[in-house]
């Protein structure tokens, strides 16, 4: 037959039995126990309500202890992570300093040639070459490149007509015609070259063919003028 559990008031105080000092409720906890007894219709003071309030206090204390332990673990992990990161930063700084020292100590013959920071751009972003680009071509290939002709037709010399007409036919009269815009809809270098010759930048094949037709007219006019001009030996 199962033994009937004894009521708590018939048991010895476990804290006294363990040799520990008894704990007492605070005034606020006593007020809570008294209100609990009033709701249950019990007289106060009584052991049942005092034990209930004390048990809640113990649970709260245990929870606070767990929170403090978790916070301590988090703080330890954060500190460890920060220490590791700091050590890695120091290692990288030491490695960079070592590389710089080795580079300074290396003879000039082994040092890599530096790129000229102030080198002028050879390509004009609006189209064609810059003056620096034309000079670079002359130095590398011996090419005698000149700026594009942007004059009105009435102001052109026969040589200007020949140059611009030749350019227009070579660039925009070819078949098939290379792309005039890229995948993002921006004009290619082929299309932008029209700006260097005083023409609108073509974005369609029809616009490019129009420039080529103008070039053919310029070449035809150049040849007519050349035929009319008497030769020096005549």
């Amino acid at each position: 037959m199962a033994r009937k559990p004894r009521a708590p008031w018939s048991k010895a105080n476990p804290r006294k039995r363990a040799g520990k000092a008894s704990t007492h409720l605070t005034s606020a906890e006593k007020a809570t126990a008294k209100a609990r007894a009033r709701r249950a219709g019990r007289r106060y003071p009584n052991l049942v309500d005092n034990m209930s309030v004390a048990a809640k206090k113990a649970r709260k204390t245990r929870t606070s202890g767990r929170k403090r332990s978790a916070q301590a673990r988090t703080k330890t992990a954060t500190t460890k992570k920060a220490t590791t990161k700091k050590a890695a930063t120091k290692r990288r700084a030491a490695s960079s300093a070592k590389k710089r020292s080795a580079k300074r100590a290396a003879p000039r013959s082994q040092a890599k040639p530096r790129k000229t920071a102030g080198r002028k751009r050879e390509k004009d972003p609006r189209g064609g070459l810059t003056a620096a680009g034309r000079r670079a071509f002359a130095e590398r290939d011996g090419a005698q490149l000149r700026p594009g002709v942007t004059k009105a037709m009435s102001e052109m010399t026969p040589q200007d007509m020949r140059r611009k007409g030749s350019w227009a036919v070579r660039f925009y009269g070819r078949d098939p015609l290379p792309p005039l815009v890229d995948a993002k809809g921006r004009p290619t270098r082929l299309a932008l070259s029209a700006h260097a010759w005083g023409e609108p930048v073509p974005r369609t094949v029809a616009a490019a063919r129009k420039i080529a037709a103008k070039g053919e007219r310029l070449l035809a006019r150049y040849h007519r003028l050349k035929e009319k001009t008497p030769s020096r030996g005549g």
Side-chain angles (χ1 to χ4, degrees):
M1 185 175 178
R3 182 181 295 181
K4 187 176 180 181
R6 295 169 61 189
W9 48 82
S10 62
K11 296 179 183 179
N13 189 332
R15 293 188 66 84
K16 286 184 179 180
R17 192 167 53 196
K20 298 179 181 179
S22 298
T23 58
H24 300 280
L25 299 179
T26 63
S27 300
E29 290 167 347
K30 287 179 181 178
T32 303
K34 188 174 182 180
R36 188 176 186 277
R38 189 185 304 113
R39 287 195 300 272
R42 289 188 291 268
R43 289 188 302 173
Y44 190 80
N46 64 73
L47 186 59
V48 173
D49 295 307
N50 285 349
M51 286 177 62
S52 176
V53 173
K56 285 183 179 179
K57 180 181 179 181
R59 285 196 298 272
K60 188 175 181 181
T61 303
R62 285 196 297 272
T63 303
S64 300
R66 284 196 295 270
K67 283 184 178 179
R68 283 195 297 272
S69 299
Q71 289 173 356
R73 286 194 298 271
T74 304
K75 186 176 181 180
T76 303
T78 304
T79 305
K80 187 176 180 181
K81 187 176 180 181
T83 304
T84 305
K85 189 175 181 180
K86 191 174 181 180
T89 304
K90 283 185 177 180
R91 285 196 299 270
R92 285 196 296 270
S95 177
S96 299
K98 189 175 180 181
K99 286 180 181 178
R100 286 195 297 270
S101 299
K103 189 180 288 186
R104 284 195 295 267
R108 290 188 176 275
S109 58
Q110 296 179 4
K112 293 182 179 179
R114 291 184 179 181
K115 293 182 179 179
T116 306
R119 186 175 63 181
K120 295 180 180 179
R121 288 186 297 184
E122 296 180 0
K123 292 182 179 180
D124 190 334
R126 296 173 300 176
L129 296 173
T130 61
R134 289 190 290 274
R135 284 196 299 271
F137 268 91
E139 292 171 1
R140 286 197 301 263
D141 308 327
Q144 300 299 321
L145 300 178
R146 288 180 288 174
V149 178
T150 58
K151 302 175 185 177
M153 189 177 292
S154 59
E155 299 175 357
M156 289 184 191
T157 64
Q159 292 302 319
D160 291 338
M161 295 177 188
R162 182 186 62 79
R163 287 185 60 225
K164 187 165 185 175
S166 176
W167 161 80
V169 173
R170 282 187 293 107
F171 271 62
Y172 301 124
R174 67 181 81 176
D175 192 19
L177 189 66
L180 298 170
V181 292
D182 60 14
K184 295 183 179 180
R186 297 173 299 191
T188 59
R189 294 298 301 179
L190 174 70
L192 288 173
S193 64
H195 180 271
W197 289 83
E199 296 295 329
V201 176
R203 292 177 177 269
T204 62
V205 175
R209 298 304 187 203
K210 188 176 180 180
I211 297 174
K214 182 178 180 179
E216 290 175 354
R217 291 195 299 272
L218 285 170
L219 287 175
R221 187 171 181 180
Y222 162 73
H223 288 301
R224 286 197 301 271
L225 291 173
K226 188 178 179 182
E227 290 173 359
K228 290 180 181 179
T229 304
S231 61
R232 292 184 179 180

